[in-house]
Amino acid sequence: MTTHAVVVGSGIAGLTVALHAVEHGCRVTLVTKDVLDHANTRFAQGGIAGVMFADDRVEDHIHDTLVAGAGLSDREAVRVLADEGPARIRELIDIGVAFDRGEDGGFVKGLEAAHSYPRILHSGGDATGTAIERALVVRLRASRVDVIEHAFLVDLVVEGGRVRGVDLLVGDREATADSVAVAGRRGIVAADAVVLATGGAGELYAHSTNPAVATGDGIAAALRAGADVRDLEFFQFHPTVLAVGASFLVSEAVRGEGATLIDETGRRFAFDAHPDGELAPRDVVARAIAHQMELQDGRPVHLDATHLHGDDAEQRAAFLARRFPTIDRAVHERGLDWAREPIPVTPAAHYLMGGVSTDLFGRASLPGLYAVGEVACTGVHGANRLASNSLLEGAVFGARAGDVIASDAESAGWPVVTGAVAERTSVGESAGAVPAGDDPADVPPFSRAALQELLWNDAGLVRDDPGLGHAASVLSVWRTQTRTPHTELDYENENLLVVAEHLVAAARARRGSVGAHYRRDDPVTSAPSRQEAVAC
């Protein structure tokens, strides 16, 4: 009997799982809550990291990943990522991803923060995610994979202790200026295996680089089904997001090219926090910016690219437009001229390192369930993700999961999990406890905006026990209120509440600062520089 796998999500991880699974004889149905090509992958500017040059070393990529992860990465998972990454990148090239090349025909090298070597590949300058998504979608549409668009994951179907399918809400729409609201229809899709590739939960925060579809749906469904979820306290905040207009990420590659961070007086302040300055790990740079903004009464700092490529502003403008076309367009749409003036930037929520615990093949603790990409916690990222490892993780572990689904389904039982699920210690599993605190009468009515402001203020870039306690108290009140979800938006809000409660509980339980989890009531010194880390 042919194994039927349902893949939920259409970013690099979900598309890779689906393509590999169908090659191994599975019947695959891919469901996505929006259209096929609308996923976080499409918004990835920075590129994909991998050892693709003769003078680079896998051991160095492993070392850089471990240093960025602040000592909490799973070493075996990191080795898998670095060892298998080049093959997955070549697979992307084979299906049509055109990574940027120089005049000599070789790949253009890109440097990003916390990398000891310029190993980042880009496509279209700063449109790498779009190029990868487009190529994978073309390949998927030419395959035997069935696709259901506008299908929202309501819950996992669990029977006899094993995941047996998905409960979907299909076709639900909110009314807009150009359309009429359409009620969705509920339906069960039975499966031998379900793969969560639903992305992260950037909608938890008031300021985010994520698209609106990032509402933690897969993590919430896994929690309700009883699967192990870990490390939700580790939420990465990207240092540089345009502080004018709607949130728009300015890739780390801009700093890799030599752009600097300056305060209102024009002083480079990042070296106050770390000897690597603007190229320190993301958590360090983001906190340095937040601290400087506090000193400036909340006003943004500036990213200065005006010294790149000499003194000729016209040549500089041409370089920026060629190297970073997407960013350049966004900058000019906001009335800014970054070839001639520094541009205002601020941190924003970017990437969730935690998620559904998996082994090295994407298997979750619940039989029949897999998780890949940002929704998963493979152990690769530890407390802080190394720049441009996210696309690589989706490709590597997506392929691994897709390669084993058929054989897993044919085996007598669920394989013994020996990776991150079994070895890493969870915190914050008592998320259901109701903390003492706010009078329910003083808690504002629940809304997504209220939730986002609560987490931004109390469980954001910098945290402490009083703030986290306040957030837990408010969340417990909201969670006890009676709400009956009907629409996709309703279900998303409930998912965000579930994930928020577990995130705050995990952050309260981890009392020491590490990586992206920084508590002002237990501060730590900056992470060591690359040179210091090598000496340690």
Side-chain angles (χ1 to χ4, degrees):
M1 180 177 176
T2 302
T3 299
H4 181 210
V6 171
V7 179
V8 188
S10 61
I12 185 173
L15 295 171
T16 300
V17 169
L19 288 169
H20 275 252
V22 80
E23 287 179 2
H24 283 271
C26 291
R27 179 167 65 90
V28 179
T29 301
L30 186 143
V31 301
T32 181
K33 70 189 290 187
D34 204 302
V35 295
L36 187 59
D37 61 354
H38 191 80
N40 254 1
T41 295
R42 187 162 64 90
F43 297 89
Q45 298 174 0
I48 187 168
V51 179
M52 300 292 289
F53 300 97
D55 56 343
D56 193 11
R57 300 191 315 151
V58 167
E59 293 300 326
D60 291 338
H61 190 188
I62 291 172
H63 176 265
D64 294 345
T65 301
L66 292 172
V67 170
L72 295 186
S73 300
D74 183 283
R75 287 180 176 269
E76 189 176 359
V78 174
R79 179 163 292 281
V80 166
L81 181 82
D83 277 344
E84 299 181 13
R88 298 286 76 81
I89 292 173
R90 293 186 186 99
E91 189 173 277
L92 292 172
I93 294 169
D94 289 342
I95 67 169
V97 179
F99 291 108
D100 296 341
R101 295 179 182 267
E103 294 180 358
D104 62 355
F107 293 122
V108 174
K109 297 179 178 181
L111 179 65
E112 294 183 11
H115 282 272
S116 60
Y117 181 93
R119 64 175 61 92
I120 317 302
L121 301 186
H122 300 88
S123 181
D126 57 3
T128 310
T130 297
I132 290 173
E133 182 79 8
R134 184 181 298 119
L136 286 169
V137 166
V138 169
R139 177 56 62 96
L140 188 92
R141 290 199 184 280
S143 73
R144 300 185 307 278
V145 176
D146 295 322
V147 177
I148 306 175
E149 295 181 316
H150 303 295
F152 179 81
L153 174 66
V154 175
D155 256 325
L156 297 168
V157 176
V158 182
E159 297 174 356
R162 185 181 181 90
V163 173
R164 297 291 185 182
V166 291
D167 181 0
L168 302 176
L169 175 66
V170 182
D172 184 69
R173 293 285 189 284
E174 295 295 320
T176 68
D178 301 317
S179 66
V180 179
V182 177
R185 64 186 186 277
R186 292 284 290 275
I188 302 291
V189 178
D192 301 299
V194 173
V195 185
L196 295 175
T198 51
E203 278 288 287
L204 284 171
Y205 290 97
H207 307 286
S208 170
T209 66
N210 292 186
V213 295
T215 52
D217 305 323
I219 296 172
L223 282 165
R224 288 190 293 266
D228 186 20
V229 173
R230 300 179 184 273
D231 291 356
L232 295 184
E233 67 270 35
F234 297 128
F235 211 116
Q236 187 175 81
F237 291 76
H238 199 284
T240 51
V241 174
L242 284 176
V244 177
S247 293
F248 186 89
L249 184 148
V250 179
S251 170
E252 205 143 25
V254 176
R255 282 175 281 135
E257 288 285 348
T260 58
L261 291 166
I262 58 174
D263 64 16
E264 290 183 320
T265 69
R267 185 180 71 91
R268 291 177 68 181
F269 60 87
F271 287 96
D272 297 345
H274 195 281
D276 289 338
E278 289 88 358
L279 294 181
R282 280 181 177 173
D283 63 304
V284 177
V285 179
R287 286 195 299 273
I289 292 174
H291 176 68
Q292 187 60 43
M293 288 176 63
E294 286 183 7
L295 298 178
Q296 298 177 178
D297 296 324
R299 294 183 296 277
V301 301
H302 285 78
L303 182 67
D304 186 5
T306 61
H307 56 280
L308 301 184
H309 282 253
D311 298 326
D312 189 307
E314 293 298 328
Q315 290 184 2
R316 187 181 310 117
F319 165 75
L320 292 171
R322 181 178 66 255
R323 175 65 181 83
F324 304 107
T326 308
I327 300 171
D328 187 71
R329 185 163 52 251
V331 167
H332 286 287
E333 286 173 352
R334 288 160 173 76
L336 305 173
D337 184 354
W338 65 331
R340 293 173 172 82
E341 295 178 343
I343 55 176
V345 293
T346 182
H350 183 54
Y351 189 91
L352 179 58
M353 273 78 72
V356 180
S357 297
T358 72
D359 70 358
L360 299 181
F361 291 90
R363 304 180 186 106
S365 60
L366 192 60
L369 181 65
Y370 301 76
V372 293
E374 191 174 354
V375 69
C377 183
T378 62
V380 161
H381 305 306
N384 190 33
R385 176 174 68 82
L386 180 67
S388 289
N389 267 355
S390 56
L391 290 175
L392 190 70
E393 183 195 28
V396 168
F397 290 94
R400 284 187 144 234
D403 290 345
V404 301
I405 289 173
S407 58
D408 284 353
E410 293 169 1
S411 66
W414 191 240
V416 175
V417 172
T418 59
V421 172
E423 296 177 0
R424 301 173 69 239
T425 301
S426 177
V427 296
E429 292 183 331
S430 60
V434 178
D438 297 61
D439 184 334
D442 296 330
V443 173
F446 171 77
S447 67
R448 185 179 299 191
L451 172 66
Q452 291 170 335
E453 287 295 334
L454 177 72
L455 263 68
W456 181 260
N457 292 328
D458 291 339
L461 183 58
V462 178
R463 306 151 177 190
D464 57 30
D465 196 58
L468 291 168
H470 172 255
S473 178
V474 173
L475 289 168
S476 71
V477 172
W478 283 341
R479 287 275 282 151
T480 57
Q481 295 171 349
T482 301
R483 288 178 299 275
T484 304
H486 295 289
T487 67
E488 182 175 308
L489 181 63
D490 294 337
Y491 284 112
E492 286 181 335
N493 287 340
E494 295 307 308
N495 288 340
L496 287 168
L497 264 176
V498 169
V499 177
E501 192 172 33
H502 280 78
L503 184 156
V504 168
R508 295 184 81 194
R510 191 178 290 278
R511 305 198 65 85
S513 292
V514 59
H517 173 65
Y518 188 85
R519 293 184 55 141
R520 63 166 58 88
D521 48 3
D522 184 29
V524 294
T525 57
S526 295
S529 69
R530 290 191 293 270
Q531 292 77 13
E532 291 168 333
V534 169
C536 289

